[in-house]
Amino acid sequence: MTQLTPRINFSIDPALANLMERDVLQPLGRDVNAFWSGFADLLGQFVPRNRALLQKREDMQAQIDAWHVERRGQPHDAGAYRSFLEEIGYLVPEPDDFTIGTQNVDPEIATMAGPQLVVPVLNARFLLNAANARWGSLYDAFYGTDALDAPPAKPGGYDKARGDAVIARGRAFLDSALPLVDQSWADLTGKDDGKLRDESQYVGKTDKGLLFVNNGLHIEVVFDPDSPIGQTDKAGIADIICESALTTICDCEDSVAAVDAEDKLLAYTNWLGVIRGDLQESFDKGGTTLTRALNADKSYTTPNDQTYSLPGRSLLFVRNVGHLMTNPAIILEGGSEVPEGIMDAVFTSAIGALDVEGHGKYGNSRKGSIYIVKPKMHGPEECAFTNDLFDAVEDLLDLKRHTIKVGVMDEERRTSANLGACIQAVKDRIVFINTGFLDRTGDEIHTSMQAGPMMRKGMMKGSSWLTAYEARNVGIGLKHGLSGKAQIGKGMWAAPDLMGQMMVEKIGHLRAGANTAWVPSPTAATLHALHYHQENVFDIQQGLGDIPGLDALLEIPLAEGANWSEDELRDELDNNCQGLLGYVVRWVDAGVGCSKVPDINDVGLMEDRATLRISSQHIANWLLHGVVSEDQINDSLTRMAAKVDAQNAGDPTYVPLIGNEDAPAFSAARDLIFKGVSQPSGYTEPLLHAWRQRAKAG
């Protein structure tokens, strides 16, 4: 006889229940009582499994810690280490050859290559900006950033000299992406001049322009001789509009501070708004109230006079939280909180079902899919859990199997080491893998915390394991058939003000075989899109070489033989402590999960929780092994608190760190360091959530 899994009864925040019932289930035509009953059954099936997987993480980490402690002082034995990891199940056998079977994937993911935005779902204005970043003005992007190799714009209105430089740079781009026969775009005197070398690049005409395509991305050349810019241009070209952020991740995880039912209600409401197509946000700009909404589709007329449209918005993913955290929005029978990842899976998918069943104003997926990015999974067993959970959610919502697609973030060491098996566990729904330096390095440090002191954080980027990690991710993805079916992504360019440097460096992501990469703003997406015109990623993917071996990935980044000076130790501590404090004051005090935070050199960086993970784990590691003392850390925290206070002096709502050392923000920063060794996988969420909840409680 089959033993049925007992359901878990629960109580839910009334406002959250009302949102689901009134705005999601009723429009879907689902029976409300049957949904909540099915949800209770789903909790009974998956909550115990979730807890068991988290316990397995802890048990495995304890075994790894003990192995390193027992061998402390001895040379690292790579062969013995690998055998040990195999023995405890940290490493699993490589799967037999397979190819992913994912179907019904939108072209923005499968067959197109371009930038990807990540945006905090709690901020409606940012969310709308990101969703609308499918198209961007190249003229604006060059005029307002240092990506243009020309003197900065003079204050006091339009700078014609800089404008001319922008126009010249735009013509150079057109000559490269859309070459003409025997002339330059700079030679044109009107809309009807010139002939493309490759006439297949011409797609059609728009109201005021001509639409072209190169490497799968569209370019609209706007001809408007009556506009201020067009009047000064001999061809009447007023702008160049580039297809930019093909996809956007609406983030419920690392870039938000969501700690309770109030926060989750806002997250789900905003996700509902962009899926339904009616999200709006009003704001004041220069004394004028502006209202932002989602862009409509773009229409054009083909050469044979057919009318077609292109999406006016990015294709949207939603990033759920991982398996670790719980949330008080739902209290389970017995008094525990619901695993937040399970709640996210059900609620964001239910909202996504509105799109699948045609209830949105514009539509997101034209293939009838719901796209969920799942972060911070450790190994194939946890990926299999997510696959089973998504099966159950599809059954609960009466969706076809594999309607819900998954993006697997390769940001934990056990996932990197078993990436082929992880992909196999979700092989019929996977649409995305990627790499990320910060979280992955945080887990690298925590996993080998007891092995010895780690090299300086800045040296990690040149370490053997990181090089192997980046190359293996692409190579293993290609081996199992992701090219043409799914995204292989690379991480964030964190400096939104350094676009010139981004334009030099970020093309390396394409040359490594990634068909998408993260950017920090819509402007950055427009500029990064130029790289995808310069290089054809799918051609590059066909020519990539062998996959690096596992031994290089498992090489621990120990600072063997290092003899740092006092100045070097102080510099490292100051860099880490300033980053911690600069971010924590926003997360804990203001509830801002991602923003441009000045670093120790006053360079603004887009920071999220991964910043804290690597910095806090690095200091905790050095403290554990006696590289630095508690007094040295406290001294650095005090000095860097003064610096962070000075950096935020212009904010009237800012609560200074100095003089408030026992308040939630400073306390959170200290805890992240001094309790860092004991945090699960080195994650910052448990401590941040606890201190944010105290701050919200006053």
Side-chain angles (χ1 to χ4, degrees), residues 543-559:
L544 291 179
D546 295 334
I547 301 171
L550 185 58
D551 288 341
L553 182 76
L554 296 176
E555 187 172 319
I556 301 172
L558 297 172

Side-chain angles (χ1 to χ4, degrees), residues 224-286:
D224 187 1
D226 297 326
S227 68
I229 301 299
Q231 285 178 356
T232 67
D233 188 279
K234 66 179 182 180
I237 295 177
D239 205 348
I240 301 169
I241 306 297
C242 292
E243 195 169 19
S244 302
L246 294 180
T247 54
T248 287
I249 298 173
C250 306
D251 190 21
C252 298
E253 196 233 5
D254 260 3
S255 71
V256 302
V259 301
D260 54 24
E262 177 187 37
D263 297 332
K264 295 303 289 188
L265 178 63
L266 179 56
Y268 296 145
T269 299
N270 284 348
W271 174 237
L272 173 66
V274 289
I275 286 298
R276 205 163 51 187
D278 58 5
L279 182 66
Q280 293 188 352
E281 180 75 359
S282 296
F283 56 95
D284 180 81
K285 188 171 184 178

Side-chain angles (χ1 to χ4, degrees), residues 64-77 447-453 558 620-621 623-626 677:
I64 293 171
D65 287 344
W67 194 88
H68 286 306
V69 169
E70 183 181 344
R71 287 156 182 79
R72 193 170 289 167
Q74 302 175 23
H76 179 66
D77 186 336
T447 301
S448 303
M449 179 67 72
Q450 298 291 342
L558 297 172
N621 172 263
L623 177 63
L624 175 68
H625 294 285
V677 173

